[in-house]
Amino acid sequence: MLRYIVRRLFHMVPLLFGVTLISFIVIHLSPGDFLAEIRLNPVVDPAVVEEMRRNLGLDQPVHIQYLKWLWSVLHFDFGYSFAYHVPVSWLLGSRLLNTLILNLGALVLAWLIAIPIGIHAATRQYSWSDNALSMVAYLGISTPTFFSGLLLLYLAFVTGWLPIGGMTSIEYDTLPWYGKVLDVARHMLVPATVLAFGAAAGLMRQMRANLLEVLRQDYVRTARAKGLADRPVTYKHAVRNAINPLITIFGFEIGALLSGSAILENVVGWPGLGQLILESVVRKDLYVVMGALLLGSVTLILGNLIADLLLAVADPRIRYD
């Protein structure tokens, strides 16, 4: 197992190199650069803009820019933000925790809801509860997160029960520590519910389909024919085998922890990494975009590695030696 983990980590190196190289080229293929908006200002002297371009290193060939950035990354320096005038590592770190709090909360909520509901729907196929839960799941899958977010924000505005956007209240700094936790939790309720609703809908349908397939297999029918109680057969044997594909999905969801809520963060005003990435892409803040892409790629690869290891733990037939 240890050799497998080391081999997978070693494979990360060429993969990350390819991802960053292609991303760097694609960013440069799009027209304009960070200074394009400044050039449109008639007050600014073109000579000043050209001087800024030289200072930012944007006048150098693309491959030189990439190699310099890559060398800096190897020394744990992700570059400097053109827009915010701060190191990229500090900028990403300041938003990273906010995004993780939101997405981890939504992820836990989605799995706690989806798995029991999926099992319930599969064990009561075509019942009224199965049909009703399936309709809710279809609604969750087909509704875009930004639309669900806007609906819940409108509901919060009409009722006044929840804050409308943002992450904290104005009086946040004067609150005791438990008040600060509750304040963030209240602000997180709308975006976390939206993210969890969409994720739980897909997971519920996947769990239902997997469990129905397992329940029709011969070993389940044999166990029932021998007189074993239905509940142990379902929960001890069938559910364990049915959950394996969901562990693979779990790996992808770990990878989406940093970028899966980008659009919703903009809708609800959550100061997270997704909001920063979208702003940086629009403004062509090159090294912030590259730093975020690298961070997301590492998270995705590690998420898949964790999922593979969890599969080996959940299913003894899977071995990596």
Side-chain angles (χ1 to χ4, degrees), residues 145-155 264 267:
T145 55
F146 74 88
F147 185 69
S148 304
L150 288 174
L151 284 179
L152 283 187
L153 285 180
Y154 177 73
L155 184 65
L264 185 64
V267 172

Side-chain angles (χ1 to χ4, degrees), residues 143-185:
T143 306
T145 55
F146 74 88
F147 185 69
S148 304
L150 288 174
L151 284 179
L152 283 187
L153 285 180
Y154 177 73
L155 184 65
F157 170 74
V158 171
T159 60
W161 293 341
L162 292 172
I164 306 170
M167 184 177 173
T168 57
S169 304
I170 297 175
E171 66 275 12
Y172 176 80
D173 290 333
T174 63
L175 297 173
W177 68 267
Y178 57 87
K180 292 180 179 178
V181 172
L182 291 175
D183 188 52
V184 173

Side-chain angles (χ1 to χ4, degrees), residues 39-176:
R39 288 193 187 92
L40 297 176
N41 190 342
V43 178
V44 181
D45 190 337
V48 173
V49 177
E50 191 59 30
E51 180 66 22
M52 292 174 66
R53 187 166 176 263
R54 279 195 296 273
N55 291 336
L56 296 176
L58 297 176
D59 61 325
Q60 297 177 345
V62 176
H63 66 281
I64 297 296
Q65 292 183 42
Y66 175 73
L67 289 175
K68 284 186 173 180
W69 175 80
L70 189 61
W71 181 253
S72 300
V73 170
L74 292 176
H75 293 80
F76 303 101
D77 178 8
F78 290 86
Y80 207 74
S81 168
F82 301 155
Y84 291 90
H85 307 292
V86 293
V88 170
S89 55
W90 181 89
L91 189 59
L92 294 179
S94 66
R95 302 291 190 95
L96 185 63
L97 181 61
N98 298 342
T99 295
L100 283 178
I101 290 173
L102 173 61
N103 284 295
L104 279 176
L107 184 66
V108 171
L109 189 62
W111 279 76
L112 288 178
I113 294 173
I115 300 303
I117 289 179
I119 295 172
H120 174 88
T123 53
R124 293 166 179 78
Q125 188 182 18
Y126 303 137
S127 65
W128 71 268
S129 59
D130 177 32
N131 293 331
L133 290 171
S134 295
M135 285 186 62
V136 174
Y138 289 136
L139 184 66
I141 293 171
S142 59
T143 306
T145 55
F146 74 88
F147 185 69
S148 304
L150 288 174
L151 284 179
L152 283 187
L153 285 180
Y154 177 73
L155 184 65
F157 170 74
V158 171
T159 60
W161 293 341
L162 292 172
I164 306 170
M167 184 177 173
T168 57
S169 304
I170 297 175
E171 66 275 12
Y172 176 80
D173 290 333
T174 63
L175 297 173

